[in-house]
Amino acid sequence: MGVYHEDEPLTSENRPDQAIAVEKSENTLQENNGIPELSKSTQSLSHSELVSGSAPQCDEPMGNDVELLNYERTDEVCEASELLQSHESYAVWSDGESPVVVSVDPAEERSWSRLVTCQRGPANAKEAVAALNRPKYPERRAESSPLSYKTWMLQLTRRRRLEIFIAVGLSLWLAFFVVLAIFMNGNANVPDADSGSTTSNNSPGFQPAPVSPHETVTPSVVLPSRNNTLVPNKTSSLNYTLPMDRNKSTDGATLLPSVASPTSGKQYKISPTASSPVTTSATSGSATVKTTTITTMRSTTSATTTSSTSTTIKTPTTKPTEASIEQESTTKIASKQNGETTAFRATVGVTSSAATSQSEDELALNRLNYPSVSPMELLATLKDKEPGYVIGVGRADITGPPADANMMGYANPNQVAGGIHFRQYSRAFVVGQGRSRVLFINIDACMGSMLVKLEVLKKLKLVYGDLYNAENVCISGTHTHSAPAGFLQDVLFQITSMGYVPETLNAMVDGIVESVRIAHDNLAPGHILINKGELLDSNINRSPSAYLNNPESERKRYAYNVDKEMTLLKFVDKDGRGVGMINWFAVHCTSMNNSNSLISGDNKGYAELLFEQAMDPDSLPGDSNFVAAFAQSNEGDVSPNTRGPHCIDTGLPCDNLHSTCNGKVQNCIASGPGKDMFESTKIIANNQFHKAMDLYNNASLMVEGPVVAVHQYVDMTNQSVDINSTHTSRTCKPAMGFSFAAGTTDGPGAFDFKQGDKTGNAFWKLIGGFLHSPSQEQKDCHYPKPILLDTGEMKRPYSWQPDVVDTQLIRIGQLLISAVPGEFTTMSGRRLNEGVLKTFAQVFPNEKFETVIAGLANTYSDYIATFEEYHVQRYEGASTIYGPLTLQAYVQQYKKLALASAKNIPLSQETQAKDIKDNLWSLLPGVVHDRSGTFRSMGDVLKDVNESYSPGDTVSVEFQAGNPRNSPTNNITFLTIERELEDGTWQVVRTDSSWDTKYIWTRTSTFWALSEVKITWDIGPDTPSGHYRINHHGHYKSITQYVYPYSGHSKVFQVVQSPS
């Protein structure tokens, strides 16, 4: 260690912080106010004297290798033993006349134990030197050798060690809060009012393309991935060629497509499949261009297929337009068979062949037709027909903690639960046929979770054995953004919730299991009917520029840039009486924006309550005998805010590509269709409810066929993806792009992030590097995504995002349900559905099927955008965590599941789910205690109601309250509204799950542990006149940590009809 300069006196003032000095002067250690100092003979010596003739020399000068041992007190010299046991050390001390420099090896420690042990007897320095008997130091560490961590730390003074620990600690905290800030993509709170510009998706650039059923899907581009080469090119329209890898031989050469990039070239490789084509190459200038000749033999004929491949691809432009954003491959294969030649495109992720190609007209023949049958005819048919299934339905409360817990969805740390608008429920549907059974569970939560499913399966196994298992149980979330977080097991999803929240997880697991128990106990023979219809004015595409980047020929096949169809299953008993319903419709549950703090099922949750109450009018919300589930589908880029995004400060439309206003995302917010988020939620919910009721009442097509569930855990970080018939590539480890931090128009992010960012920012890259700097392989694999958070390579304290996901396909007769572990965009869902349908059509060419996506099921792995959408790098593309080939990998996997289902092929589990519940961190503090304040009791009325109200008025009452986390959050109600009957008894007419009530909890003093509850009731026009009262129920925790129940009651008030 270099610590002294030549000819500089060695004194206590200039001795280095990284040195530890041991000075032994004539048997005693001199102290100065408890701080040691060098002896006189040593203080006067300079470095040159130590290594020159004026002082005894070592065979080698000390220089940078001198290590001075410093002990603060004589009774602490035993610290030297620990140091010497760990590494070779040098000591400088004085015998009163001249300094001596020696080397100490741990094996020779005993020779001078009196000097550097706790023995306090006098020690002579010269004796110690003689005992060492080591004039040479051949084993001395070279100056360039790196110090071990322990050695380096021991060489520092205590003060310097403390400074380093403080600096490291502050850096880690800074990194944590930076990630927190980045992650809160809802930091810019959306205003409560949804009013503003009426810009809609019907403006230019949003017009739906006409339908052309004769077009085929052609997302056929050479895929930048871990295994292909990106070579920069200055042109905006980029030609993709296939240069020969000079490191490989011609036979079986690895193809390295030259993909032009406006920023940098990335090294990837596309690996050939086992049957690599014979290749020839022609040199043009300095580039070697490869021509591939493919020869395949068909076993059924003697025909030979020969093709010449030259690939040309256009790169997505900065601002896509209808004309400029097409990405189509010119790869054409000439199939010559019996003198006939057929040209078709090679589809990305699907090995194309003339034998398996199918036109859209042929595919349409395999879709279900929905006949119109009168209700009387249908009822007669059902009574005469033997039930084909056993059916059971059940519902249970899964509401999480309504206080202190962060909401899941917007990732906004400021969106913390503070009450209930209406409750969350789990709705379970058991369908069985013979010995086969499936269980579909729809939960009013942001998503399904591997942690939740594993815990549910554990409890179901205790009761039902292997009857319900990972293969036949599906848990899908509605995607409400207004329910408590803390039920996922990946770090990235726990940042704003401060780890996992046991109260949230336990409420969900217990409620789900209870709903399954009810459904299982209600199993009875019954029938299932299916229907499908179009629902308008309820969803728009929030990333239209990314959608437009899909091939034009593909877009022309669809009337809209979002799916407008609702698919519905109707469950009836053997006599035709309805018992349940499930429908799938793609729309985000973000009608309630990120300023909301009340637990809510959002638009789908309210639609469920509307349907159930319509089928059982005398029931309270959540108590009906009928169970209705409004399930989620491929809603990745679909918003319920139908007025579209606009600048809330100017009312002007936002920038289309980046969703910014004057370069900032915070003011670009989508809104509508109502005047505020509550009215918008009500409108979108009613739209879904009315359409579902129409489909339910007119459903006439019987579901017939087997009940089959296939399932497989998949490691998505290393999936081989077919590029074409000859080459493959792979998916990536998870990573989040810069546009992820920009948020969406439903909930914008913070700082200077914006959507469509394909370059990143040096400052934020530096900040992200505090957590983990992505490897070059990661950068190459995710190109063109600039990596903000390298989650796939971050494993502390545990995985930041999932590696293993749950893939599942459920067949109920003609309906094929793809339960997907994430948020598929509109076009991604269409491609997946098409892949599944084609697979079944090949096995059952004479049968008809319907396909649906069950979104956010079993595991959450963020978004799945198409390859073309990925290259635009809006929020959905930046959140596609396994790289540009993510969708292709999923399509392959679900086609595999479809084939296994159709042919009854058992699938092996190549990997297993990761159960890490015991390792999860929970940092959310519990409730310390509650106080009622001076001269008050829990439940006391702080502000009472008025004497009378009329329909249209809002009743409000406030109570002294405890923290609602003290209460078991599910299967109770924190409020009831009662009406007095003629006999003097009171009837409950509203609970905290009613749409027109609000339970609002507020902590008024953290120090004094005081809180209040405000209960409101919006009196509807159909409310009968009479006497009413409002009750509040809760629990409080005393200073002794015991929990006690309490209640409070308003005075009786009257509701009178207004004079007409």
Side-chain angles (χ1 to χ4, degrees):
M1 299 174 56
V3 294
Y4 298 117
H5 299 285
E6 284 199 23
D7 300 325
E8 179 183 355
L10 181 63
T11 64
S12 59
E13 286 77 11
N14 67 12
R15 69 173 182 264
D17 290 338
Q18 295 183 346
I20 306 174
V22 172
E23 297 89 15
K24 197 75 175 173
S25 177
E26 297 184 303
N27 309 323
T28 60
L29 182 71
Q30 298 184 9
E31 295 186 88
N32 181 15
N33 296 327
I35 301 175
E37 67 177 13
L38 299 175
S39 61
K40 292 182 180 180
S41 59
T42 306
Q43 290 178 7
S44 61
L45 292 173
S46 67
H47 174 76
S48 59
E49 290 176 318
L50 290 173
V51 298
S52 63
S54 58
Q57 298 186 52
C58 299
D59 286 350
E60 295 182 24
M62 294 182 296
N64 292 337
D65 289 328
V66 173
E67 184 170 329
L68 303 176
L69 305 177
N70 180 14
Y71 302 103
E72 294 188 4
R73 296 185 182 276
T74 304
D75 58 358
E76 295 176 356
V77 298
C78 55
E79 294 179 8
S81 298
E82 299 176 3
L83 179 63
L84 294 170
Q85 290 170 5
S86 62
H87 66 291
E88 182 179 355
S89 305
Y90 298 93
V92 177
W93 69 87
S94 171
D95 62 5
E97 297 178 1
S98 60
V100 180
V101 181
V102 299
S103 173
V104 181
D105 187 273
E108 299 164 337
E109 180 182 350
R110 295 179 182 176
S111 302
W112 59 313
S113 59
R114 287 194 302 157
L115 179 66
V116 289
T117 64
C118 295
Q119 300 176 15
R120 298 197 180 190
N124 186 286
K126 292 181 179 180
E127 292 178 358
V129 174
L132 289 174
N133 193 24
R134 255 187 105 211
K136 302 288 185 181
Y137 313 104
E139 302 136 6
R140 187 177 60 178
R141 182 180 59 248
E143 284 189 28
S144 59
S145 301
L147 294 172
S148 69
Y149 170 76
K150 187 174 181 180
T151 302
W152 180 74
M153 289 299 294
L154 286 169
Q155 291 176 356
L156 305 180
T157 61
R158 294 182 179 180
R159 177 179 177 182
R160 179 55 61 87
R161 293 181 205 174
L162 180 61
E163 291 172 350
I164 291 175
F165 286 139
I166 292 175
V168 172
L170 290 176
S171 298
L172 292 176
W173 273 108
L174 173 63
F176 171 79
F177 284 111
V178 166
V179 172
L180 186 67
I182 293 172
F183 194 77
M184 63 176 190
N185 58 26
N187 183 52
N189 284 341
V190 179
D192 217 24
D194 277 347
S195 58
S197 172
T198 58
T199 303
S200 72
N201 67 327
N202 295 322
S203 58
F206 290 78
Q207 294 292 341
V211 179
S212 178
H214 301 286
E215 294 290 333
T216 58
V217 181
T218 57
S220 46
V221 294
V222 176
L223 307 176
S225 71
R226 184 177 299 170
N227 294 331
N228 65 353
T229 302
L230 303 181
V231 180
N233 191 316
K234 295 181 180 179
T235 61
S236 58
S237 180
L238 305 173
N239 293 327
Y240 288 53
T241 61
L242 299 177
M244 190 69 67
D245 185 354
R246 292 169 184 159
N247 297 323
K248 302 288 184 180
S249 62
T250 302
D251 295 335
T254 300
L255 296 185
L256 299 178
S258 174
V259 182
S261 163
T263 55
S264 64
K266 307 296 180 183
Q267 296 301 315
Y268 302 97
K269 291 182 180 179
I270 296 181
S271 302
T273 58
S275 56
S276 300
V278 178
T279 60
T280 59
S281 61
T283 303
S284 176
S286 60
T288 303
V289 180
K290 176 178 178 299
T291 301
T292 306
T293 302
I294 305 174
T295 303
T296 60
M297 297 298 296
R298 297 180 182 172
S299 59
T300 57
T301 68
S302 58
T304 301
T305 302
T306 304
S307 73
S308 178
T309 303
S310 62
T311 308
T312 302
I313 299 176
K314 299 178 182 179
T315 292
T317 56
T318 304
K319 292 188 177 181
T321 64
E322 286 284 340
S324 66
I325 63 176
E326 295 181 36
Q327 287 192 0
E328 295 190 24
S329 171
T330 59
T331 304
K332 295 182 179 179
I333 302 176
S335 177
K336 187 175 183 180
Q337 182 175 357
N338 298 327
E340 296 181 2
T341 301
T342 303
F344 62 94
R345 291 186 177 93
T347 304
V348 169
V350 180
T351 302
S352 300
S353 65
T356 60
S357 65
Q358 186 177 31
S359 69
E360 185 64 20
D361 288 337
E362 292 173 334
L363 190 62
L365 295 176
N366 297 109
R367 295 188 183 277
L368 289 176
N369 297 319
Y370 296 91
S372 178
V373 179
S374 68
M376 296 302 295
E377 292 175 334
L378 176 63
L379 185 60
T381 302
L382 292 177
K383 288 184 177 181
D384 295 338
K385 192 175 183 64
E386 190 69 21
Y389 304 97
V390 290
I391 300 168
V393 298
R395 177 191 51 252
D397 190 353
I398 60 169
T399 306
D404 299 333
N406 184 253
M407 299 285 200
M408 184 65 199
Y410 289 115
N412 182 358
N414 299 320
Q415 191 190 15
V416 177
I420 298 175
H421 186 203
F422 58 94
R423 288 185 166 267
Q424 307 167 251
Y425 292 96
S426 166
R427 293 171 171 88
F429 300 80
V430 179
V431 178
Q433 186 184 68
R435 302 181 64 179
S436 181
R437 186 170 298 191
V438 296
L439 170 58
F440 184 87
I441 304 169
N442 193 64
I443 57 175
D444 295 334
C446 195
M447 66 278 291
S449 156
M450 182 172 287
L451 175 62
V452 170
K453 183 172 180 177
L454 292 176
E455 292 301 302
V456 167
L457 291 178
K458 291 176 186 177
K459 292 200 171 188
L460 291 179
K461 187 176 180 65
L462 295 176
V463 181
Y464 305 106
D466 294 329
L467 182 62
Y468 301 111
N469 50 63
E471 184 173 65
N472 64 6
V473 174
C474 173
I475 303 178
S476 175
T478 61
H479 206 39
T480 174
H481 285 44
S482 296
F487 57 93
L488 289 97
Q489 63 181 16
D490 306 292
V491 174
L492 188 63
F493 310 127
Q494 296 179 353
I495 293 177
T496 56
S497 64
M498 300 181 67
Y500 104 99
V501 181
E503 297 152 277
T504 303
L505 179 65
N506 294 337
M508 292 181 69
V509 171
D510 292 344
I512 291 172
V513 172
E514 176 65 12
S515 69
V516 174
R517 183 196 64 78
I518 296 172
H520 180 86
D521 292 345
N522 290 335
L523 279 170
H527 304 281
I528 305 175
L529 298 95
I530 188 171
N531 205 357
K532 186 175 184 178
E534 189 176 77
L535 172 58
L536 302 178
D537 302 321
S538 300
N539 58 0
I540 65 170
N541 195 305
R542 69 185 187 187
S543 289
S545 59
Y547 178 87
L548 285 173
N549 211 37
N550 292 303
E552 182 182 13
S553 57
E554 183 180 23
R555 288 184 280 111
K556 284 182 178 180
R557 294 168 46 203
Y558 304 98
Y560 307 100
N561 60 3
V562 295
D563 285 339
K564 300 285 187 179
E565 291 182 324
M566 176 184 285
T567 302
L568 179 142
L569 286 183
K570 176 179 180 179
F571 300 93
V572 299
D573 63 16
K574 62 181 181 179
D575 297 321
R577 290 187 295 266
V579 297
M581 180 276 300
I582 313 175
N583 71 69
W584 290 268
F585 179 73
V587 63
H588 253 81
C589 281
T590 51
S591 295
M592 300 296 291
N593 62 46
N594 61 17
S595 66
N596 173 53
S597 62
L598 303 180
I599 290 176
S600 166
D602 211 282
N603 54 66
K604 286 187 177 291
Y606 183 39
E608 291 167 334
L609 296 180
L610 286 172
F611 203 104
E612 290 172 346
Q613 288 188 283
M615 299 302 294
D616 191 359
D618 296 331
S619 66
L620 289 171
D623 289 335
S624 71
N625 293 320
F626 191 94
V627 178
F630 283 69
Q632 194 54 268
S633 191
N634 52 321
E635 44 57 69
D637 54 355
V638 185
S639 171
N641 298 305
T642 54
R643 292 206 329 241
H646 59 275
C647 299
I648 60 174
D649 53 345
T650 64
L652 298 175
C654 305
D655 172 76
N656 188 38
L657 181 61
H658 301 295
S659 295
T660 57
C661 299
N662 296 320
K664 301 292 184 181
V665 299
Q666 286 76 21
N667 290 333
C668 179
I669 298 173
S671 60
K675 67 178 184 295
D676 59 32
M677 61 181 171
F678 292 98
E679 186 176 77
S680 294
T681 301
K682 189 174 184 178
I683 292 172
I684 300 300
N686 272 281
N687 289 350
Q688 294 180 76
F689 158 66
H690 289 300
K691 186 62 186 180
M693 185 61 73
D694 176 64
L695 294 175
Y696 181 88
N697 290 332
N698 293 285
S700 57
L701 180 61
M702 298 285 293
V703 174
E704 297 175 311
V707 174
V708 182
V710 290
H711 164 274
Q712 195 172 44
Y713 290 117
V714 176
D715 184 352
M716 281 296 295
T717 65
N718 193 30
Q719 288 294 299
S720 177
V721 179
D722 294 335
I723 303 301
N724 51 38
S725 60
T726 59
H727 291 81
T728 63
S729 188
R730 292 194 173 275
T731 53
C732 317
K733 295 178 182 178
M736 303 296 281
F738 273 69
S739 297
F740 147 76
T744 71
T745 55
D746 291 334
F751 304 108
D752 56 346
F753 295 102
K754 62 183 180 180
Q755 297 196 62
D757 188 350
K758 292 190 282 187
T759 58
N761 176 286
F763 172 75
W764 290 113
K765 286 181 180 179
L766 177 64
I767 297 300
F770 273 107
L771 292 172
H772 192 280
S773 181
S775 64
Q776 189 60 44
E777 181 184 13
Q778 272 285 81
K779 295 177 182 178
D780 294 346
C781 190
H782 283 274
Y783 180 84
K785 176 201 293 180
I787 296 177
L788 176 62
L789 296 176
D790 184 23
T791 53
E793 297 181 323
M794 296 159 60
K795 302 298 181 182
R796 294 182 180 178
Y798 34 86
S799 296
W800 280 58
Q801 283 184 301
D803 297 335
V804 176
V805 300
D806 188 309
T807 62
Q808 185 180 44
L809 182 70
I810 294 174
R811 178 185 178 184
I812 303 176
Q814 305 100 308
L815 181 64
L816 310 175
I817 306 170
S818 297
V820 298
E823 303 182 56
F824 277 59
T825 62
T826 298
M827 195 62 81
S828 293
R830 290 168 176 171
R831 292 183 189 176
L832 185 71
N833 276 335
E834 188 169 284
V836 170
L837 186 60
K838 283 184 176 180
T839 302
F840 268 84
Q842 291 168 7
V843 180
F844 306 105
N846 298 321
E847 296 187 25
K848 299 179 183 293
F849 297 92
E850 189 62 69
T851 58
V852 296
I853 298 287
L856 303 118
N858 302 320
T859 310
Y860 185 64
S861 59
D862 283 276
Y863 285 74
I864 298 90
T866 69
F867 174 80
E868 296 83 359
E869 292 165 351
Y870 183 92
H871 278 70
V872 180
Q873 277 298 294
R874 282 181 61 82
Y875 176 84
E876 294 80 15
S879 301
T880 299
I881 64 175
Y882 302 117
L885 302 182
T886 300
L887 174 61
Q888 283 72 26
Y890 275 121
V891 171
Q892 286 184 181
Q893 174 62 19
Y894 279 84
K895 289 177 69 176
K896 177 181 176 182
L897 296 178
L899 189 63
S901 176
K903 292 189 175 183
N904 196 25
I905 302 173
L907 292 177
S908 62
Q909 295 293 342
E910 299 177 359
T911 185
Q912 293 296 326
K914 297 180 179 179
D915 186 357
I916 61 172
K917 181 177 181 291
D918 294 337
N919 299 326
L920 299 180
W921 291 13
S922 181
L923 305 178
L924 180 67
V927 179
V928 179
H929 74 287
D930 296 295
R931 293 181 65 253
S932 58
T934 307
F935 307 119
R936 287 179 182 169
S937 298
M938 288 293 178
D940 283 356
V941 175
L942 303 179
K943 183 178 180 181
D944 215 336
V945 299
N946 298 331
E947 295 293 336
S948 65
Y949 296 89
S950 298
D953 293 341
T954 298
V955 185
S956 176
V957 59
E958 297 178 11
F959 297 92
Q960 191 69 50
N963 192 312
R965 291 174 63 194
N966 296 320
S967 304
T969 57
N970 51 0
N971 296 319
I972 68 166
T973 179
F974 289 103
L975 72 90
T976 57
I977 299 178
E978 298 176 327
R979 180 173 179 265
E980 187 178 21
L981 303 180
E982 292 181 357
D983 60 0
T985 60
W986 292 88
Q987 178 187 28
V988 176
V989 295
R990 296 288 188 277
T991 67
D992 61 6
S993 198
S994 301
W995 169 264
D996 49 11
T997 64
K998 295 183 181 69
Y999 165 80
I1000 306 169
W1001 175 84
T1002 305
R1003 179 182 282 110
T1004 55
S1005 174
T1006 302
F1007 181 80
W1008 297 109
L1010 299 174
S1011 57
E1012 299 176 1
V1013 159
K1014 180 179 180 181
I1015 295 174
T1016 66
W1017 176 35
D1018 298 325
I1019 303 176
D1022 298 330
T1023 304
S1025 299
H1027 291 90
Y1028 293 83
R1029 69 182 182 187
I1030 298 177
N1031 306 315
H1032 165 51
H1033 312 282
H1035 295 76
Y1036 72 93
K1037 180 181 286 188
S1038 69
I1039 193 67
T1040 59
Q1041 299 301 289
Y1042 287 99
V1043 175
Y1044 301 95
Y1046 70 89
S1047 295
H1049 313 277
S1050 74
K1051 67 182 181 183
V1052 177
F1053 60 95
Q1054 190 174 10
V1055 174
V1056 295
Q1057 296 293 329
S1058 301
S1060 56

